[in-house]
Amino acid sequence: MMIETLAWTSSGVRFIDQTKLPTEESYVTCTTHEQVADVIRNMVVRGAPAIGVAAAMGIALGVTNSRAESPGALEREFEEICATMGETRPTAVNLFWAIRRMQKKFRSLSGVPLAQVQQALVDEARQMHAEDIAINRAMGREGAALMPVAGGVLTHCNAGALATCGYGTALGVVRAAIEQGKNLHVYADETRPFLQGSRLTAWELVKDGIPTTVISDNMSGAIMRQGKIKAVIVGADRIAANGDVANKIGTYTVAILAREHGIPFYVAAPLSTVDPDTTDGARIPIEQRNPAEVTHIAGRPMTPAGVQVENPAFDVTPATLVTAIVTERGIARPPYRESLSKLLAGEGQSSVSATLKAK
Amino acid sequence: MMIETLAWTSSGVRFIDQTKLPTEESYVTCTTHEQVADVIRNMVVRGAPAIGVAAAMGIALGVTNSRAESPGALEREFEEICATMGETRPTAVNLFWAIRRMQKKFRSLSGVPLAQVQQALVDEARQMHAEDIAINRAMGREGAALMPVAGGVLTHCNAGALATCGYGTALGVVRAAIEQGKNLHVYADETRPFLQGSRLTAWELVKDGIPTTVISDNMSGAIMRQGKIKAVIVGADRIAANGDVANKIGTYTVAILAREHGIPFYVAAPLSTVDPDTTDGARIPIEQRNPAEVTHIAGRPMTPAGVQVENPAFDVTPATLVTAIVTERGIARPPYRESLSKLLAGEGQSSVSATLKAK
C-alpha cells in the first residue's frame, strides 16, 4: 500500500493533511510557495525528509508562479522564496539541505530562459522526491539486518512513509525486515504533544497490516522492563558531526531507557540529515512550539489557566547512547565523527542509483 | 486554600469530580456504597490515600443504609459491602488497609445495637479522614528538609490534596518546604493517559499560587538534562517490604532518568501504603485499565481502528532507584526492608497525634 505523503501535481503541490489523521484522510493542494511554507509550519506535512522535499517543491512552485522580467528580478525573487521556506522550522537540517540543492540548481541555470528555469527546478524537486523513496529503500536494505528475527521493536514519533516521500526511514527499516520474513511487532509511543505515534505511525502500519501496539510515552520503560522490546529504531531531524542526534522530544528518554535495559538503539536517516557543519548536539537549534499543543487536546483545555508550559519540539540524544546510524550508504558505528564523514565523502551508493534508473 | 477532595456530609459522601477538572469544579454526592465503588472505579476520586478513606466512607454509608434485623444479617451485609469496595481497584494497598481497619472496628462492636454500630463506623471513617490530613502534614514536616533551597522539583501524576483528604503526600512535602521559605518551582509531568499532572496537579498548585510548569511526559529527560530539576518527588500506590514502589505508570522511567542525571528520587507515602505482606514489587498486582483511555482523548479517537493498545495503570520502581521514602513517622533510607519495618513497628508519631488533638 503506497501512501502519497506529498506529490507534485498539475494543480499544485498536494499533501496528505497529517493534522487530520487518523480519523480523516484528506488532502491539501498548495498553489503558492507561501502556502507550502504554511503547511510546513503547521505540520500538515512533517518529518525531516518530507519537509526537505516539500521545501524544494515550494521553491519550484514559487518560481513557476514568477512573472519576473529580468534575470536580476528572478534571482531576487528566487532568494526571497528560499528565505520564506527557510524560516518555517529551524531544527530539521534537511530543509536547509534541500534549499541549498535548489540554489545550486538555480545557479547552474544562469542565462537560461525563464520557462526552462521553471521546468528545471520542477524537475529537480521531483527528482528529490524520487530519490527520497529510493534512499529509504536503500536504508531498509542496509538496516534490516539490525532488526531482531522476531519480537517487539519500539519507535518514537513517526519516521515512516508520512515523514518522507514514502516507505520511511525507521519504519522503512522495519518494513524491509518484515519483507525479509522477520516477525516484528511495532510498539509505537503515542508521542505527545502532537501524537505522531498514535495518529500517524499506527495509521500507516495498520494500513500495511504490520502488528502495532500504541502505548503512552510513559509506558515505554515498563514495557522494556517486561522484556517486550528487542530493539529501538527512530528517525532524526539533524545529526551533528559527532553523531549526536536531534529528534522528536522524548527520544533522549527512550535512548536512556534502551541502554538501561540493554536494548540496541538505532537511528535511521538519509545522509541529508547529517550536518557536518554542526560539530555537536549542543549547537543544534531546538524549536519551541506553541504551548497550546500541550495545554489543549482536540481543542479542549487540559490545564488550568495560569500554568506555565514548556514545549520543545525536539531533544538531543548524545552519540554515546546511539548503537548505530543507518544511512542509504551503509551503517555508521561509533566513533561517528569518522564513520559519518566517511559515508558523507563516499560515492552515491549504487543501490540507490540502480533503484532510480530502474524506475 | 483548602481543597475538599472528599467529605462525609449529611446528604452522603461528597467527592470533587476529578474527571471534570480543571475546566469544571463540580461535586458528586454518593448515597449508597455501590455509588462510592463506582466513583472509585471511574476515577472520580483517585490517589491511594483518598481511595482508602473513600472506601471507609463507602462502608460506613453502606452500614448506615442497612435495615438488617439480626446481628448475623448485619455481619453478612457488612462483609458484602467490604467485598464490593475491595473489587474496585487492585493496586493501591490503602484500599485494603482501610477495609481491614473498618472490619476491625466492626468486630469490636459485637453485641452493640445497630444504630450505635452505624455511628461508630461513620466516626471511624471520619477519623481516618482527619488522620490522613494530619499524616500528610507530618510527612511535610519530615520531608521538607529533603527539598532543595531553591529550584525545580519534578513530580509525576498527582500526589496532592486531590489524591488524599487534603494537603497531599508528595505535594504536601512541596507545600511544607514552601511554607518554610524554600523557593520551589514544580514541574508537573502531564501523566498520560488520565492527565493527572496537567489536569489535577497543575490545578491545585495554581490555586495555591505555587509556580508550576506542565510538560509532556516525554519532556522530563530533556528538562533534567538542562539542569532544571533538583529533586523528584512522587507518591505511591503500594510499597513492597523491600522498598519497591508501585506508582502511576511512568514513575519507573522518571526514576531511571533521575539516577542518570544525579537527581535524588523521593517517594512520599503514609505507612498505610507500605505492604509488609508483599515481599517485592514483582508481586504487586498491576491494574490494566480500559484501552479507550489511550485511544481516545476528550471523546475523540486518536488512534486508527485495528491497532492494539496497552494501558497498565502503574509500574514498579525498584528500591535501588529510590533515594528515600518519606513517611509520617520519619524518613526511610536503604536498606528499606529494615528501615520500613522499623517505622511500621514504631509508635504513632507524636506530631500526628498532636495535630489531631489540637483540632
Side-chain angles (χ1 to χ4, degrees), chain A residues 190 192 252 259-261, chain B residues 190 192 252 259-261:
Chain A
E190 66 174 11
R192 279 278 291 147
Y252 171 57
R259 191 185 55 186
E260 173 77 16
H261 295 89
Chain B
E190 66 174 10
R192 279 280 291 149
Y252 171 58
R259 191 185 55 187
E260 173 78 16
H261 296 88

Side-chain angles (χ1 to χ4, degrees), chain B residues 68 70-81 106-107 110:
Chain B
S70 72
L74 178 63
E75 189 169 350
R76 277 192 301 279
E77 207 176 321
F78 176 82
E79 289 305 336
E80 274 169 26
I81 293 165
F106 181 80
R107 280 185 216 111
S110 173

Side-chain angles (χ1 to χ4, degrees), chain A residues 7-322:
Chain A
W8 183 273
T9 75
S10 55
S11 41
V13 187
R14 197 181 63 179
F15 298 92
I16 190 167
D17 187 343
Q18 302 196 28
T19 66
K20 300 288 200 318
L21 290 170
T23 41
E24 188 187 326
E25 187 175 334
S26 62
Y27 292 80
V28 172
T29 299
C30 297
T31 55
T32 69
H33 71 275
E34 289 95 343
Q35 287 172 359
V36 173
D38 279 343
V39 303
I40 294 174
R41 204 176 286 112
N42 300 334
M43 295 173 71
V44 167
V45 65
R46 28 64 53 201
I51 288 172
V53 175
M57 287 189 174
I59 292 167
L61 194 60
V63 173
T64 300
N65 289 337
S66 172
R67 298 285 169 269
E69 290 183 351
S70 73
L74 178 64
E75 189 169 351
R76 277 192 301 279
E77 207 176 323
F78 176 82
E79 289 304 337
E80 276 169 24
I81 293 165
C82 289
T84 299
M85 303 314 300
E87 283 159 9
T88 50
R89 300 196 65 193
T91 304
V93 78
N94 312 61
L95 174 69
F96 308 102
W97 169 88
I99 293 169
R100 277 200 309 277
R101 179 156 159 182
M102 293 299 277
Q103 286 168 326
K104 195 175 161 193
K105 185 74 193 174
F106 181 80
R107 280 186 216 110
S108 77
L109 299 165
S110 173
V112 171
L114 178 59
Q116 282 178 41
V117 172
Q118 290 169 330
Q119 188 57 51
L121 291 178
V122 170
D123 290 348
E124 185 73 1
R126 297 183 74 172
Q127 170 73 7
M128 288 162 76
H129 184 279
E131 280 176 21
D132 183 64
I133 298 173
I135 283 167
N136 291 339
R137 292 266 176 195
M139 258 188 281
R141 282 189 294 272
E142 295 290 338
L146 299 176
M147 294 292 98
V149 173
V153 174
L154 179 77
T155 191
H156 190 72
C157 194
N158 172 268
L162 289 167
T164 62
C165 298
Y167 203 65
T169 54
L171 296 189
V173 171
V174 168
R175 285 188 166 99
I178 289 172
E179 286 162 18
Q180 289 178 9
K182 291 188 171 183
N183 186 17
L184 304 184
H185 184 112
V186 176
Y187 285 81
D189 279 349
E190 66 174 11
T191 318
R192 279 278 291 147
F194 202 70
L195 298 170
Q196 290 93 336
S198 50
R199 296 194 305 104
L200 309 179
T201 293
W203 181 79
E204 66 167 86
L205 292 180
V206 165
K207 245 176 147 53
D208 267 3
I210 296 172
T212 306
T213 296
V214 168
I215 57 174
S216 299
D217 299 304
N218 60 20
M219 294 173 190
S220 50
I223 300 288
M224 285 185 191
R225 196 163 182 232
Q226 290 165 27
K228 289 179 177 166
I229 307 298
K230 305 299 176 204
V232 175
I233 188 158
V234 299
D237 290 81
R238 188 183 303 212
I239 300 174
N242 71 339
D244 290 350
V245 174
N247 191 46
K248 181 51 53 195
I249 186 74
T251 303
Y252 171 57
T253 291
V254 172
I256 289 171
L257 291 171
R259 191 185 55 186
E260 173 77 16
H261 295 89
I263 298 165
F265 179 89
Y266 301 118
V267 174
L271 285 164
S272 56
T273 305
V274 179
D275 179 11
D277 299 332
T278 298
T279 52
D280 62 61
R283 290 175 169 75
I284 299 176
I286 300 295
E287 177 184 7
Q288 300 287 326
R289 290 188 63 84
N290 191 334
E293 291 181 352
V294 175
T295 57
H296 289 62
I297 307 183
R300 291 241 225 133
M302 294 293 161
T303 52
V307 83
Q308 297 170 57
V309 164
E310 295 212 19
N311 189 16
F314 307 96
D315 59 25
V316 174
T317 299
T320 49
L321 296 173
V322 180

Side-chain angles (χ1 to χ4, degrees), chain B:
Chain B
M1 196 273 326
M2 193 65 196
I3 293 164
E4 205 161 61
T5 305
L6 71 169
W8 182 273
T9 75
S10 55
S11 39
V13 188
R14 196 180 65 180
F15 297 92
I16 190 168
D17 187 344
Q18 302 197 29
T19 66
K20 300 287 200 315
L21 290 170
T23 42
E24 188 186 324
E25 187 175 336
S26 62
Y27 292 81
V28 172
T29 300
C30 297
T31 55
T32 70
H33 71 276
E34 289 94 344
Q35 288 172 358
V36 174
D38 279 344
V39 303
I40 294 173
R41 205 177 285 113
N42 300 334
M43 295 172 71
V44 167
V45 64
R46 28 64 52 201
I51 288 172
V53 176
M57 287 189 174
I59 292 167
L61 194 59
V63 173
T64 300
N65 290 336
S66 172
R67 298 285 168 270
E69 291 184 352
S70 72
L74 178 63
E75 189 169 350
R76 277 192 301 279
E77 207 176 321
F78 176 82
E79 289 305 336
E80 274 169 26
I81 293 165
C82 289
T84 299
M85 302 315 300
E87 282 160 8
T88 51
R89 300 196 64 192
T91 304
V93 79
N94 312 61
L95 174 70
F96 308 103
W97 168 88
I99 293 169
R100 276 201 309 276
R101 179 156 159 181
M102 292 300 277
Q103 285 168 326
K104 195 175 161 194
K105 186 74 193 174
F106 181 80
R107 280 185 216 111
S108 78
L109 299 165
S110 173
V112 172
L114 177 59
Q116 283 178 41
V117 171
Q118 290 169 332
Q119 188 57 50
L121 291 177
V122 170
D123 289 347
E124 185 73 1
R126 297 183 74 172
Q127 170 74 8
M128 287 162 75
H129 184 280
E131 279 175 22
D132 183 63
I133 298 173
I135 283 167
N136 291 339
R137 292 265 176 194
M139 257 188 280
R141 281 189 294 273
E142 296 291 339
L146 300 176
M147 294 291 99
V149 173
V153 174
L154 180 77
T155 191
H156 189 73
C157 194
N158 172 268
L162 289 167
T164 62
C165 298
Y167 203 65
T169 55
L171 296 189
V173 171
V174 168
R175 285 188 166 99
I178 289 172
E179 285 162 17
Q180 289 178 8
K182 291 189 170 182
N183 187 17
L184 304 184
H185 184 113
V186 176
Y187 285 81
D189 279 349
E190 66 174 10
T191 317
R192 279 280 291 149
F194 202 70
L195 298 169
Q196 289 94 335
S198 50
R199 296 195 305 104
L200 308 179
T201 293
W203 180 79
E204 66 168 87
L205 293 180
V206 165
K207 244 177 148 53
D208 268 2
I210 296 173
T212 306
T213 296
V214 168
I215 57 173
S216 299
D217 299 305
N218 60 21
M219 293 173 191
S220 50
I223 300 289
M224 285 185 192
R225 196 161 183 234
Q226 290 165 26
K228 289 179 177 167
I229 307 298
K230 304 299 176 204
V232 175
I233 189 159
V234 299
D237 290 81
R238 188 183 302 211
I239 300 175
N242 72 339
D244 290 350
V245 175
N247 191 47
K248 181 52 52 195
I249 186 73
T251 303
Y252 171 58
T253 291
V254 172
I256 290 172
L257 291 171
R259 191 185 55 187
E260 173 78 16
H261 296 88
I263 298 165
F265 179 89
Y266 302 118
V267 174
L271 285 163
S272 56
T273 305
V274 179
D275 179 11
D277 298 333
T278 298
T279 52
D280 62 61
R283 290 176 170 75
I284 300 175
I286 300 296
E287 177 184 7
Q288 300 288 325
R289 290 188 62 85
N290 191 333
E293 291 181 352
V294 176
T295 57
H296 288 62
I297 307 182
R300 292 241 225 131
M302 294 293 161
T303 52
V307 82
Q308 297 170 57
V309 164
E310 295 212 18
N311 189 15
F314 306 96
D315 59 26
V316 174
T317 299
T320 49
L321 296 173
V322 179
T323 310
I325 299 174
V326 181
T327 78
E328 67 272 32
R329 287 187 197 150
I331 293 166
R333 299 255 183 199
Y336 290 110
R337 209 176 288 280
E338 285 70 20
S339 57
L340 288 175
S341 70
K342 264 187 208 163
L343 288 173
L344 281 169
E347 287 298 300
Q349 203 215 36
S350 58
S351 68
V352 176
S353 318
T355 308
L356 281 168
K357 277 182 197 136
K359 277 174 74 80

